[in-house]
Amino acid sequence: MPSLEVERGLTSTARSHLSGGIILTLAFGCGLLVANLYFGQPLAAPISASTGLPPSLAGVPVTLTQVGYAIALLLLAPLGDICETRAVVVPIVLIGLLALVAAALSSSPGPFLVASLGIGICPVGGQILLPYAARLAPEHERGHVVGKVMSGLLLGIMLSRPMGSFVASVAGWRAIYWLIAAGEAVLAVLLLKVLPSLRPQTSLSYTALLRSLLPIWRNHAELRYRAVIHAGLLAAFILFWTAAPLHLARDFGLGQQAIGLFALAGVSGACVAPFVGRIADAGHRQPRIAQAAQLVALTTAVIPFIISFFGHRIWAVGLLACAGIVLDAAVTANMILSQRAIFSLGDDIRTRVNALYMASIFLAGACGSALGGWGIATGGWPLAAAFGVALTGGSLLFALLSGVPRSNPRNF
């Protein structure tokens, strides 16, 4: 499908005919790019043994990938507001492709660690494509479109770990790096061929763009509100998927493939995304609907950690799987509701708003991962689950006590 070259955004006619092919490409791209953050996490042991990395430093490649992502969120994601989207995302995808190939070819620690840092840059492309999807969609169905694209991103998060485990168990750990690299080569072609061209809506210099991040954060109270609420949920989400595999291995003796199958249970939680997107669109017109939906999502997020305390032996595994499904659905719902809201704060700042939002919740997610591992090591699953109740309950309490604030929009 040839790209549609448009001088200044899409016309209303073009917007009303947003094709399924474009949405599918965006969903595939977001899912594939975000998978770079997660697929290597269960492979720390075989990678360290193969590359000569000391066991005490086996987690460093994952840490460097996360560091690369954090840096890219603040330095590269805002470019989506001043550059044509494909001109930013395609080079990012190619950088990720080269880093994946370098990692697959590495036989010593140094090159592999450098490649791991480069792999972390790649997922930021998804955080440019999401605001692009919001700009592409007509206003009345923006939440529905974002929900569909978000489904792809969440599937990438949830499928990447089990896929990494399964592929490595069959063909070795290098195979998953080659597989993801091939997928990114396909993605680069799709982005160039399928996506419409949208010119930026601001003419700021790059330096001015970075300087505007703090004022945007300071003057948009709703952005801060949404970030705080979802920070607790994302921290609990990552805590759960960090602690649950350790719990299953330590307390139930499950192997890597069985844990991979368990992780697949959470994938069904992403199925709520398109439905929640329609609720978010209705909530944009009637804010009480969005507020009620958010409270339902926040309340639902507390339940999985509570039910995970119950059950014995095999029943406990089943309850834990159900908890994962419910938690993933709740986090998915709140994410879509939040992004539907912040994507309406201004067309010209949408990518920067998303970068600030994602950087905030990402830092909370990193804390959730640390809490999950520490909780399991210190007090087992009961302590890890108690942290989960505190995080999700804190987000719910904050929402109940504060209410949705009004932002003070300005031009940046």
Side-chain angles (χ1 to χ4, degrees):
M1 182 185 300
S3 62
L4 304 174
E5 298 296 330
V6 182
E7 288 299 313
R8 294 191 178 276
L10 290 183
T11 63
S12 59
T13 303
R15 282 176 177 267
S16 65
H17 292 88
L18 186 58
S19 73
I22 293 174
I23 295 174
L24 183 61
T25 298
L26 292 170
F28 169 69
C30 287
L32 180 66
L33 294 175
V34 78
N36 285 272
L37 286 174
Y38 302 102
F39 75 82
Q41 290 181 0
L43 307 178
I47 288 174
S48 62
S50 178
T51 60
L53 196 66
S56 60
L57 300 178
V60 171
V62 173
T63 301
L64 286 175
T65 300
Q66 306 282 344
V67 169
Y69 182 53
I71 294 172
L73 273 173
L74 293 176
L75 297 184
L76 296 183
L79 288 171
D81 281 337
I82 61 172
C83 300
E84 200 276 323
T85 300
R86 295 174 306 174
V88 177
V89 177
V90 171
I92 288 174
V93 172
L94 294 178
I95 289 172
L97 189 158
L98 293 174
L100 287 162
V101 170
L105 294 174
S106 297
S107 57
S108 58
F112 187 83
L113 293 177
V114 173
S116 296
L117 186 66
I119 290 171
I121 295 173
C122 190
V124 80
Q127 300 309 325
I128 298 174
L129 292 178
L130 264 175
Y132 169 85
R135 184 181 170 198
L136 208 59
E139 175 68 24
H140 66 279
E141 54 181 46
R142 180 170 291 159
H144 182 56
V145 171
V146 170
K148 287 183 174 181
V149 177
M150 182 63 68
S151 294
L153 186 143
L154 292 166
L155 285 172
I157 293 174
M158 296 171 192
L159 287 173
S160 54
R161 290 188 186 95
M163 183 176 69
S165 295
F166 290 141
V167 173
S169 67
V170 172
W173 68 266
R174 297 179 194 274
I176 185 62
Y177 283 82
W178 287 114
L179 183 61
I180 299 293
E184 292 188 3
V186 172
L187 175 61
V189 174
L190 286 175
L191 293 176
L192 290 172
K193 294 292 185 181
V194 175
L195 296 190
S197 174
L198 292 180
R199 286 194 172 186
Q201 294 186 313
T202 182
S203 57
L204 290 175
S205 67
Y206 180 66
T207 302
L209 186 78
L210 295 182
R211 283 202 304 263
S212 72
L213 292 176
L214 183 58
I216 289 173
W217 177 263
R218 186 174 58 243
N219 288 291
H220 286 280
E222 185 167 3
L223 169 61
R224 301 193 301 272
Y225 167 82
R226 301 286 180 179
V228 169
I229 284 180
H230 200 73
L233 262 64
L234 187 68
F237 171 84
I238 295 181
L239 179 150
F240 181 92
W241 289 108
T242 299
L246 297 172
H247 175 43
L248 292 171
R250 190 181 76 168
D251 299 325
F252 296 93
L254 297 187
Q256 192 172 54
Q257 288 192 353
I259 292 173
L261 288 172
F262 172 85
L264 288 175
V267 173
S268 58
C271 296
V272 305
F275 172 71
V276 175
R278 293 194 182 280
I279 294 177
D281 286 329
H284 182 67
R285 296 184 293 271
Q286 302 180 48
R288 289 184 179 180
I289 294 177
Q291 292 173 22
Q294 184 178 55
L295 290 177
V296 170
L298 292 171
T299 304
T300 303
V302 183
I303 297 173
F305 290 100
I306 296 175
I307 66 173
S308 69
F309 282 107
F310 301 98
H312 179 68
R313 301 304 297 171
I314 194 64
W315 292 106
V317 176
L319 282 174
L320 200 64
C322 292
I325 294 171
V326 174
L327 178 64
D328 288 3
V331 173
T332 299
N334 191 71
M335 179 73 120
I336 292 168
L337 291 165
S338 295
Q339 289 195 297
R340 176 64 174 88
I342 65 171
F343 285 164
S344 299
L345 293 178
D347 289 347
D348 58 330
I349 61 170
R350 186 172 289 136
T351 307
R352 281 169 286 169
V353 164
N354 189 60
L356 289 165
Y357 175 78
M358 293 303 299
S360 302
I361 66 174
F362 170 79
L363 290 174
C367 294
S369 178
L371 273 178
W374 185 81
I376 286 290
T378 305
W381 179 254
L383 181 58
F387 285 144
V389 172
L391 289 167
T392 52
S395 288
L396 175 60
L397 186 62
F398 180 80
L400 289 171
L401 293 179
S402 59
V404 182
R406 291 185 179 181
S407 294
N408 178 26
R410 297 179 182 176
N411 294 321
F412 299 96

